């Protein structure tokens, strides 16, 4: 008797009743629910791109989209690998019903349906909301860094790019001269010749020149932004040469590299992503209000509470979100000593701060002088009080140019700084009077700070980490999306939406499986 077990199906055995493809997949396999969810979605806009007049019948877009989305959910992203698993993996073979999908088809499909993909993402979100899985009571907003499809050292400054362009222009001119000389020789031998297209070498050089000119424009744009700041480093700004839409940013693992900043808005109830975008401007604050507006357009409801880090804590954001009726739990950007233990926050601001607390007064990290948060504003009198209790009256107002635009500011000045015990810690340079500037958003900023300082606000803000960080962590680890495959901001944003859509479908499948299990248990 043979010791080893016999195979259930011999490779060369002819059987009367062969196993079906469906019987090869377990009834509780995730791909079944994946197929069920995708089949319940509206694919009419995707299908409208196909014309069934000529050629072979196309593969239904639901199938190709499902291959990409299911591949992402199990960490498979490259198109060539997806092509292989469609022939090798039984779950993919079951889903595609044995169809073979070429990697070039997957590549083109991935970027062709960017608008339809965003609508599919919103469609899934509305289904989740109808099921009670999205409530918008608390929404967390957070960005993460993902490397661009650009080599770490494939960057250059404006000077280097201009030198490369000059050398390239010279090379193109020489090649044109050689091509013209060759055409003349051919004309003498064969008569007139056609020149409908550039030689291959010249065509490649022209494309390279176009890429360098785009990189130079990006460099000049960055330099204009840097010229408006006083804290920029002495080194020249570098821009990526391969993916010129990306931005050289610091990485958590150290050093600098071309990156994008994908931003996700996550519902706090069951962790569904309710909005997504990709930033390549270098700051996230300009996406905050637009994200809230897109959420309202998708779900016909605004978030009740918005939780985000200090990168979103600008005065204009506080004002616009307050006007929209959204409670913000966002620390103020560049706020020094944004805590309740600031000794300047005393019961009677007309009395001086105790001498024993002078060393605890907030300091500006750049000048080490008393920060503006050491001065208390009295809205009734429209004046400030310094730590010594002296009144600082309104002095003037003007429009100041800041990073995010022009802001109206009111200045308040103390007229009795002489013989002040804190003048050495308060006044800077040769100034003899201390001035405090209050911009038009300060009222909304202080309301937000007060809200987040409260015990309830602190408890709510603690939810932000696990609400926001979880989806980004899953996308970067399980889906292995630590570097984009595509280039250009539009294609990169489409790639990010594929990942976010796959994440939401996976969550929806888990929730459906949980609901069905609970229902079966109740029946038993």
């Amino acid at each position: 008797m043979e010791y080893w077990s016999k195979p259930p199906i011999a490779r060369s055995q002819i059987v009367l009743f062969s196993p079906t493809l469906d019987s090869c997949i377990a009834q509780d396999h995730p791909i079944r629910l994946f197929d069920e969810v995708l089949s319940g979605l509206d694919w009419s806009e995707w299908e409208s791109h196909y014309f069934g007049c000529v050629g072979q019948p196309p593969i239904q877009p639901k199938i190709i989209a499902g291959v990409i989305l299911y591949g992402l959910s199990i960490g498979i992203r490259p198109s060539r690998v997806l092509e292989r698993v469609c022939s090798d993996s039984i779950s993919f073979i079951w889903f595609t019903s044995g169809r073979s999908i070429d990697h070039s088809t997957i590549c083109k499909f991935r970027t062709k349906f960017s608008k339809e993909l965003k609508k599919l993402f919103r469609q899934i979100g509305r289904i989740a909301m109808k099921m009670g899985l999205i409530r918008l009571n608390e929404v967390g907003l957070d960005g993460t860094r993902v490397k661009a499809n650009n080599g770490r050292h494939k960057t250059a400054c404006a000077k280097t790019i201009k030198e490369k362009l000059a050398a390239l222009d010279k090379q193109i001119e020489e090649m044109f001269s050689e091509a013209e000389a060759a055409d003349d020789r051919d004309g003498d031998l064969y008569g007139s010749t056609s020149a409908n297209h550039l030689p291959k070498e010249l065509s490649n050089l022209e494309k390279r020149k176009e890429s360098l000119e785009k990189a130079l424009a990006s460099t000049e744009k960055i330099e204009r932004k840097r010229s408006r700041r006083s804290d920029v480093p002495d080194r020249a700004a570098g821009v990526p040469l391969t993916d010129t839409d990306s931005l050289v940013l610091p990485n958590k693992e150290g050093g600098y590299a071309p990156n994008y900043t994908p931003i996700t808005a996550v519902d706090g109830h069951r962790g569904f992503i309710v909005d997504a975008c990709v930033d390549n401007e270098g700051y996230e604050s300009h996406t905050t209000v637009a994200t809230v507006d897109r959420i309202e357009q998708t779900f016909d409801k605004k978030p009740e509470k918005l939780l985000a880090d200090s990168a979103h804590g600008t005065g204009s954001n506080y004002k616009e979100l307050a006007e929209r009726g959204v409670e913000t739990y966002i620390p103020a950007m560049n706020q020094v000593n944004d805590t309740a233990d600031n000794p300047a926050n005393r019961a009677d601001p007309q009395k001086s701060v105790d001498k024993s607390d002078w060393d605890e007064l907030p300091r500006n990290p750049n000048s080490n002088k008393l920060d503006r948060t050491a001065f208390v504003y009295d809205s009734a009198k429209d004046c400030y009080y310094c730590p010594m209790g002296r009144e600082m009256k309104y002095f003037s107002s003007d429009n100041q140019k800041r990073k995010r635009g022009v802001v109206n500011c009111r200045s308040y000045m103390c007229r009795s700084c002489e013989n002040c015990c804190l003048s050495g810690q308060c006044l800077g340079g040769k100034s003899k009077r201390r001035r405090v500037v209050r911009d038009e958003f300060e009222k909304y900023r202080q309301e937000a700070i007060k809200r987040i300082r409260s015990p309830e606000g602190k408890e709510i803000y603690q939810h932000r980490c696990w609400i926001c960080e979880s989806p980004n962590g899953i996308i970067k680890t399980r889906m292995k999306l630590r570097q984009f495959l595509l280039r250009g901001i539009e294609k990169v944003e489409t790639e990010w939406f594929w990942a976010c859509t796959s994440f939401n479908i996976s969550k929806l499948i888990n929730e459906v499986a949980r609901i069905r299990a609970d229902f079966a248990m109740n029946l038993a």
Side-chain angles (χ1 to χ4, degrees):
M1 183 177 179
E2 189 177 351
Y3 175 72
W4 305 111
S5 66
K6 293 182 179 180
I9 303 174
R11 291 176 179 171
S12 58
Q13 178 67 49
I14 299 174
V15 294
L16 181 62
F17 300 103
S18 59
T20 63
L21 182 58
D22 192 63
S23 65
C24 297
I25 294 290
Q27 291 298 317
D28 59 348
H29 196 286
I31 192 64
R32 289 185 180 274
L33 268 177
F34 210 93
D35 180 63
E36 186 179 332
V37 169
L38 291 181
S39 298
L41 300 174
D42 181 14
W43 297 92
S44 58
E45 289 193 26
W46 300 65
E47 293 168 355
S48 65
H49 286 261
Y50 295 85
F51 304 95
C53 301
V54 294
Q56 295 182 351
I59 300 174
Q60 190 179 8
K62 183 201 81 171
I63 302 296
I64 307 177
V67 167
I68 297 172
L69 294 168
Y70 182 66
L72 279 166
S73 70
I74 58 176
I76 300 175
R77 296 171 57 221
S79 56
R80 291 183 183 273
V81 181
L82 288 172
E83 178 187 4
R84 187 174 69 246
V85 295
C86 283
S87 303
D88 297 349
S89 173
I90 191 64
S91 58
F92 281 89
I93 294 172
W94 179 91
F95 181 77
T96 61
S97 298
R99 295 179 179 89
S100 296
I101 305 176
D102 187 74
H103 68 273
S104 60
T105 302
I106 295 172
C107 279
K108 292 175 183 176
F109 189 92
R110 187 181 272 140
T111 56
K112 181 180 179 180
F113 296 96
S114 57
K115 292 181 180 178
E116 290 76 14
L117 175 64
K118 291 179 181 180
K119 290 181 180 179
L120 183 72
F121 171 83
R122 293 167 187 146
Q123 189 181 159
I124 294 166
R126 286 192 288 268
I127 291 171
M129 192 171 193
K130 286 180 181 178
M131 294 173 64
L133 303 174
I134 292 177
R135 297 181 179 176
L136 299 181
N137 295 336
E138 290 180 0
V139 171
L141 190 61
D142 190 41
T144 186
R145 290 275 163 81
V146 177
K147 293 179 183 177
N149 190 348
N150 191 109
R152 188 184 187 98
H153 302 291
K154 292 287 183 180
T155 60
C157 62
K159 181 182 177 182
T160 306
I161 294 172
K162 288 177 181 177
E163 291 172 354
K164 288 185 176 183
L165 276 170
L168 202 59
D169 284 337
K170 185 178 179 181
Q171 187 178 355
I172 290 173
E173 187 177 345
E174 290 174 355
M175 290 192 71
F176 264 119
S177 299
E178 292 175 5
E180 287 177 3
D183 287 343
D184 291 339
R185 288 195 299 271
D186 291 344
D188 294 338
L189 290 172
Y190 308 110
S192 60
T193 56
S194 175
N196 292 327
H197 57 83
L198 289 172
K200 185 177 180 181
E201 296 81 2
L202 269 172
S203 178
N204 290 338
L205 289 177
E206 289 288 352
K207 287 180 181 178
R208 188 181 172 197
K209 182 182 177 182
E210 184 181 344
S211 176
L212 285 172
E213 287 174 346
K214 192 175 180 181
L216 182 62
S218 299
T219 310
E220 292 170 349
K221 181 181 177 182
I222 293 172
E223 290 294 353
R224 284 195 297 270
K225 289 182 179 178
R226 284 159 59 103
S227 65
R228 296 195 291 265
R229 295 172 54 188
S230 58
D231 57 341
V232 295
D234 295 332
R235 64 178 182 274
V239 297
L241 296 177
T242 310
D243 185 357
T244 54
D245 284 350
S246 60
L247 201 64
V248 177
L249 297 169
N251 290 329
K252 289 184 178 179
E253 57 268 25
Y256 289 74
N259 284 278
Y260 284 98
T261 306
I263 300 169
T264 51
V266 186
D267 184 69
H269 178 52
R270 304 299 290 184
F272 279 81
I273 298 174
V274 292
D275 190 72
C277 64
V278 177
D279 172 60
N280 66 338
E281 294 292 330
Y283 58 96
E284 302 173 25
S285 59
H286 71 101
T287 66
T288 313
V289 177
T291 297
V292 171
D293 291 341
R294 285 194 300 269
I295 292 173
E296 185 179 10
Q297 289 173 6
T298 301
F299 300 101
D300 296 323
K301 180 182 177 182
K302 292 188 291 284
E304 294 178 16
K305 299 180 178 67
L306 184 69
L307 288 61
D309 58 23
S310 59
H312 299 267
T314 63
S316 59
N317 282 344
Y318 289 134
K319 179 184 178 182
E320 293 189 47
L321 291 173
E323 290 173 349
R324 285 164 171 75
V326 179
E327 277 189 19
T328 55
Y329 293 84
I330 307 174
M333 185 184 291
N334 301 325
Q335 188 75 14
V336 178
N337 197 29
D338 187 14
T339 58
D341 57 358
N342 181 357
N345 296 326
R346 53 204 185 274
D348 186 0
Q350 297 187 39
K351 293 183 179 179
S352 64
V353 176
D354 291 339
K355 191 173 182 179
S356 58
D357 293 330
W358 286 1
D359 292 338
E360 302 300 323
L361 288 169
R363 312 277 168 166
N364 189 298
N366 297 323
S367 63
N368 202 31
K369 299 294 183 180
L370 291 180
D371 188 71
R372 66 185 304 278
T373 53
F375 299 81
V376 180
Y377 181 71
D378 187 336
S379 57
K381 294 183 178 181
D382 188 25
C383 70
Y384 275 90
Y385 289 100
C386 76
M388 296 302 293
R390 298 179 182 181
E391 185 177 354
M392 303 176 68
K393 294 183 178 180
Y394 166 72
F395 175 70
S396 64
S397 64
D398 61 344
N399 293 326
Q400 294 185 7
K401 196 173 183 180
R402 297 187 179 177
K403 294 180 185 178
R404 311 303 188 266
V406 178
V407 179
N408 182 260
C409 299
R410 294 168 61 87
S411 298
Y412 299 80
M413 187 175 289
C414 182
R415 302 181 184 276
S416 57
C417 291
E418 297 83 3
N419 302 320
C420 177
C421 301
L422 282 173
S423 60
Q425 303 177 46
C426 183
L427 302 177
K430 297 181 180 180
S431 59
K432 296 181 179 180
R433 294 180 182 179
R434 178 60 191 256
R435 187 179 71 157
V436 174
V437 177
R438 180 183 179 87
D439 64 35
E440 58 185 293
F441 306 120
E442 189 66 22
K443 170 189 171 183
Y444 302 97
R445 187 181 292 110
Q446 291 303 320
E447 288 175 355
I449 292 172
K450 183 179 179 181
R451 188 185 303 116
I452 203 170
R453 279 180 181 172
S454 66
E456 182 186 0
K458 289 179 180 178
E459 184 179 353
I460 291 172
Y461 190 69
Q462 285 179 350
H463 303 168
R464 189 194 71 84
C465 286
W466 61 264
I467 290 174
C468 302
E469 304 289 347
S470 299
N472 289 337
I474 290 171
I475 290 173
K476 294 174 78 171
T477 53
R478 187 186 297 172
M479 298 185 186
K480 301 177 183 176
L481 205 162
R482 294 187 177 275
Q483 183 172 16
F484 287 109
L485 298 172
L486 306 176
R487 295 172 183 167
I489 183 65
E490 292 182 4
K491 291 183 178 180
V492 161
E493 189 166 82
T494 300
E495 188 175 352
W496 185 250
F497 262 96
W498 278 111
C500 293
T501 305
S502 177
F503 175 87
N504 277 357
I505 290 176
S506 298
K507 284 198 76 70
L508 188 61
I509 287 169
N510 292 336
E511 293 292 342
V512 170
R514 178 184 61 82
I515 292 169
R516 287 179 177 177
D518 292 344
F519 183 73
M521 188 178 294
N522 291 333
L523 286 179

